[in-house]
Amino acid sequence: MIIPNGTIQTKQKAGGGIDPETGYAVPPVSVGWGEPIPCQFSATRFDWQAKLRGEPVTQKSFSILIEEQEFQAEQIRLTDRSGKVIGDFPIKQIEPLEAVCQLRIIV
C-alpha cells in the first residue's frame, strides 16, 4: 500500500514510425497523456548548481512508487497532490518490488 502524494501520467504517442522509402523516423502525429495513476514520490537528487554547456540548470531525479500493474512507458508527467506539474521525465528504470506488490520507477 502506498500513501499517494501525487500522480503520474504516461505519454501516449499515435502515428509515427519509420518511413519505408527513406528509412528515416517519422514523428508521431499526436501526443497525449494517459489517465492519472496515484503515486508516492520522493526526490533522490535535486541539484540547483548543475551546468549544461556552461548554462545553469536544475537537475532533478525522483523515485516513484505505484501499485503493481501492467506498466509500459518511455516518459511520464509527475504531478503533486495539489495538481501542480512537477515535470515531464524520461523513465530510467522500472523495478518490480514483489514483496510489497509495487513498482519503483526511477526518473
Side-chain angles (χ1 to χ4, degrees):
M1 180 176 139
I2 64 168
I3 301 170
N5 63 351
T7 61
I8 61 171
Q9 294 173 282
T10 59
K11 189 173 196 176
Q12 299 174 335
K13 301 175 186 176
I18 303 293
D19 186 336
E21 293 179 15
T22 64
Y24 290 108
V26 177
V29 177
S30 65
V31 176
W33 296 100
E35 292 295 316
I37 301 169
C39 71
Q40 179 179 349
F41 68 91
S42 60
T44 56
R45 181 175 183 205
F46 214 91
D47 186 358
W48 292 93
Q49 298 178 344
K51 291 193 177 204
L52 179 65
R53 296 184 203 113
E55 296 293 320
V57 295
T58 302
Q59 290 184 335
K60 305 178 221 177
S61 182
F62 292 92
S63 176
I64 302 166
L65 297 174
I66 62 172
E67 296 294 336
E68 191 172 41
Q69 58 189 277
E70 281 293 317
F71 186 82
Q72 300 250 342
E74 295 178 7
Q75 193 171 12
I76 61 161
R77 172 174 282 172
L78 179 61
T79 309
D80 68 11
R81 136 182 32 208
S82 66
K84 178 182 173 194
V85 174
I86 294 173
D88 300 341
F89 302 97
I91 294 177
K92 294 180 185 175
Q93 179 182 5
I94 300 174
E95 177 185 5
L97 304 175
E98 295 176 4
V100 291
C101 297
Q102 295 175 357
L103 294 175
R104 179 181 314 165
I105 303 166
I106 305 295
V107 298

